[in-house]
Amino acid sequence: MANDGIRRLATSWTLGIAADSALTVVLLVVVFNLGGVVAAGLIGAVRMVPAVVAGMVSGAFVERYRGDRILVALGLVRALSAGLTALVIATAGNSRADHEATLAALFALAGVSATAAAPIRPTQITLMPALARSPRELVAANTAWSTGEALGAFGGPILAGVLMGASRHEVAAAAAALAFLVTALLSVGLRFEQARDAAGGAAAAGRGLRLADGLAAIRRRPVLGWTLVGVHGQVMTRGLLNALSVVAAIELLDMGQAGPGLLAAAIGLGGLVGAVLVLASARPDNLVRTQVIALVFWGAPIALVGVVPLTAVAMVAMVVLGVANAAYDVALFTTLQRGCPNDDRAPVMSVVEGAIGLGAVFGSLLAPVLLLALGTRGALIVAGSILPILAVVIHLRIGRGAPIAVVSEPLVELLRRVPAFEALPLTAVERLADGLEPFRAEPGTVLMAQGEPGDRFLVIATGEAEVEVDGQLTNRLGPGSGAGEIALLRRSPRTATVRTLTPVTGYSVDAATFLAAVAGPAAAAITERMAQANLQRGSIREPAGTRE
């Protein structure tokens, strides 16, 4: 939460989920009151179909129009839609014709709201690596995001329920509109180190919807492909659970009409607990293992309810499922963010949104088939067995050391130790890493000589080197040190000689890549301060770890 950009995204996501959940409850209740069960069922389909399509095209729009601008625009559209919903409810008449007109208006507004909501998730996920400065901060960002989702999904319906209990349905919709407006204002304040980071790090906008590019990127990286299979299975199982939990609570567990709500609340409680556990234990190097374990504990509790149909067992099982859901979301989105190169991140997220939408549809269609063929207990056992089986397959395919990150965490940590690069987001670090050339030098090797043209910046990974100005020793450099920024920034000859004292390994960066990396305001300010300090230092020795 110390990162302003991540804090804005997490807060915006939390408010958006709360407002959307509240608005959904209001729409369902009002539509049910006006049109009955059929109308209430249709409202879900009206919201789902355009939402799936909008999510699939989100990647192309992020690259063309900047993610922050898209978030602002979508927030305003959602606010307007919710505000109009409040107006329609407040001015609804009592005649049959009035009811029909009100239903038509609410259906249209529900479609607009859902369409505007769908690109929010892929856009935010695409932007997070452009704001996070390290792999661990990215994990923490996704954890805050997941926690916010749980809080929003819990608090939004409660607020809506309180207001509707006082017969103020239009006020609940108006409150949602206000929350959506705040999400837009929060997105206005997003700041990026470089302009291309606002497009998720992509070098340039691609042509068309780029779904084919997303599929090609997934095929090139098995970890992305099997992660996509996993999320499709998880969402399909969620769709099954949405239907099966109602039947199980009322008919199998004899929990009454309140049963489905109690099971959903148990999942929400588990989500909050899971977010805390993930924040304390998740690491960027165990993402596949976390996915596999979470998938097992996502499905197994559902099967357990079918095997042991007791209310207490079901409640505990749903809490466990909620914990697994929180862990899975963090591992899933971090894998997608770190496993995609900058140019592929947005189109891959578009494909993921398509897989999520199809999974929800398949799950909803499969639930009645399983209930009719196997009964409630059998349907629960089969539905709960899907993910554990899938988890075993995923573990066998990518769970044994398959690389995830485009840039390894040790390399990110090394570059982050260099003050010139400490302010860079992960997207910029990835671009920098693409231009690195490894080198190895024996003791006594001159890495750069005073007076020669400066064309590269050096980063030392292991070993030590000494810095001489006019033949006088001025400094020693160790792991994580950089050298050469003055000549590159001033476009002047080298101001010092750097000679190795021990065997040295490291990386060199050409002038164009270095200057592009430090072109952002934060990095440029840091680098300029370094250059000024080193020029003024003269022959004064400074602690190891500073630059030439």
Side-chain angles (χ1 to χ4, degrees), residues 227-308:
T227 296
L228 185 67
V229 171
V231 71
H232 178 77
Q234 187 255 359
V235 175
M236 184 178 71
T237 303
R238 181 191 290 272
L240 285 167
L241 180 62
N242 288 340
L244 297 179
S245 62
V246 176
V247 179
I250 296 174
E251 297 184 359
L252 183 63
L253 302 173
D254 196 25
M255 296 174 67
Q257 294 295 313
L262 291 174
L263 293 179
I267 295 175
L269 175 61
L272 293 175
V273 174
V276 174
L277 295 177
V278 171
L279 186 60
S281 61
R283 301 194 311 273
D285 58 351
N286 66 359
L287 296 175
V288 172
R289 183 175 61 185
T290 301
Q291 283 188 58
V292 168
I293 296 174
L295 286 175
V296 171
F297 285 96
W298 219 108
I302 301 174
L304 179 62
V305 176
V307 175
V308 187

